[in-house]
Amino acid sequence: MDTLRALLRAMLSSARDLLPIVAVIAFFQLVVLQEPLPNIVSIAFGLLLVVLGLTFFIFGLEMGLFPIGEAMAQAFARKGSVVWLLIFAFCLGFGTTVAEPALTAVADEAADVAAEGGMIESSELGKEEYANGLRYTVALSVGIAIMVGVLRILKGWPIHYMIIGGYIGVVILTGFAPDNIIGIAYDSGGVTTSTITVPLVTALGVGLASSIKGRNPMIDGFGLIAFASLLPMMFVMIYGMVLA
């Protein structure tokens, strides 16, 4: 019963969060455009599915991904093996990024546009190789980024200096990278921080900082996502320079 009540509360919370979006769409459709909503029944059913999807997703994060991420981070901290912890951090970042739906969509779209522009071979094989190259480049960069973030938590390095240095590197690479890869590189930093990567990586950082004496989970536990957004931009621009 407690689980059912928690599920109902999560459903009400999802509906409340979705309400402003519905209000904005309804206002512009009915007041500004002054046209009735087309397929109102279909739209209502779709909104219901969105509420259910958000509810189950958030509920699943709280029940599954967050606890397992924190538990594994604490277990590695108790084990005391820095090497295995860094290997786990890399594999977690790489694996979650490869499975990220948003990255797959962006990589496929980039391949189609590159083929239309004559930058790559206009064939299914050529587009697939280009898209996979982007995906694995971004996944490799996120794996390394999570490793660096975990090392920062272990060593207690200040995050702001590392992020400032990273963005200076992004600006420098922007001056040398081909024009056709810069936009994709900047977008790659955003699509990595999506539905699969963020929960597990956040749980890893918080769990690790909670397990290490002298570390504050609020100060040291967060910030891994910043690295996961930063390094893909650099790696994708380097990838474009190599292809060029």
Side-chain angles (χ1 to χ4, degrees), residues 165-209:
Y167 276 106
I168 290 174
V170 169
V171 172
I172 293 173
L173 283 172
T174 302
F176 295 95
D179 292 340
N180 54 44
I181 202 69
I182 292 175
I184 298 172
Y186 277 61
D187 283 347
S188 298
V191 296
T192 55
T193 54
S194 190
T195 52
I196 297 176
T197 308
V198 170
L200 280 171
V201 170
T202 302
L204 171 65
V206 172
L208 186 60

Side-chain angles (χ1 to χ4, degrees), residues 85-117:
L85 177 60
L86 293 178
I87 292 173
F88 170 69
F90 174 83
C91 292
L92 181 68
F94 185 91
T96 55
T97 304
V98 166
E100 193 65 65
L103 176 60
T104 302
V106 169
D108 290 343
E109 185 66 23
D112 290 337
V113 174
E116 290 176 5

Side-chain angles (χ1 to χ4, degrees), residues 6-208:
L7 182 62
L8 289 174
R9 284 196 298 269
M11 191 175 297
L12 289 173
S13 177
S14 298
R16 185 179 64 247
D17 293 340
L18 194 64
L19 189 60
I21 302 174
V22 175
V24 168
I25 294 174
F27 173 79
F28 280 93
Q29 183 72 30
L30 301 176
V31 177
V32 178
L33 297 177
Q34 296 182 352
E35 295 179 1
L37 286 170
N39 304 320
I40 186 68
V41 176
S42 177
I43 291 175
F45 182 68
L47 289 174
L48 176 62
L49 293 179
V50 170
V51 171
L52 292 174
L54 286 173
T55 301
F56 287 120
F57 176 69
I58 295 171
F59 203 65
L61 291 182
E62 294 174 351
M63 289 187 64
L65 290 186
F66 278 125
I68 195 173
E70 291 183 11
M72 292 191 72
Q74 292 167 0
F76 274 111
R78 288 194 301 269
K79 190 176 179 66
S81 175
V82 175
V83 174
W84 279 112
L85 177 60
L86 293 178
I87 292 173
F88 170 69
F90 174 83
C91 292
L92 181 68
F94 185 91
T96 55
T97 304
V98 166
E100 193 65 65
L103 176 60
T104 302
V106 169
D108 290 343
E109 185 66 23
D112 290 337
V113 174
E116 290 176 5
M119 290 175 286
I120 62 173
E121 183 182 347
S122 184
S123 66
E124 289 300 321
L125 180 60
K127 290 190 285 186
E128 183 179 353
E129 289 179 350
Y130 185 82
N132 287 337
L134 276 176
R135 285 180 61 207
Y136 288 117
T137 298
V138 173
L140 177 66
S141 68
V142 174
I144 295 173
I146 303 305
M147 281 181 59
V148 173
V150 166
L151 198 59
R152 179 195 72 85
I153 295 174
L154 295 175
K155 299 295 185 180
W157 295 333
I159 188 172
H160 48 285
Y161 293 130
M162 301 178 71
I163 296 298
I164 291 171
Y167 276 106
I168 290 174
V170 169
V171 172
I172 293 173
L173 283 172
T174 302
F176 295 95
D179 292 340
N180 54 44
I181 202 69
I182 292 175
I184 298 172
Y186 277 61
D187 283 347
S188 298
V191 296
T192 55
T193 54
S194 190
T195 52
I196 297 176
T197 308
V198 170
L200 280 171
V201 170
T202 302
L204 171 65
V206 172
L208 186 60

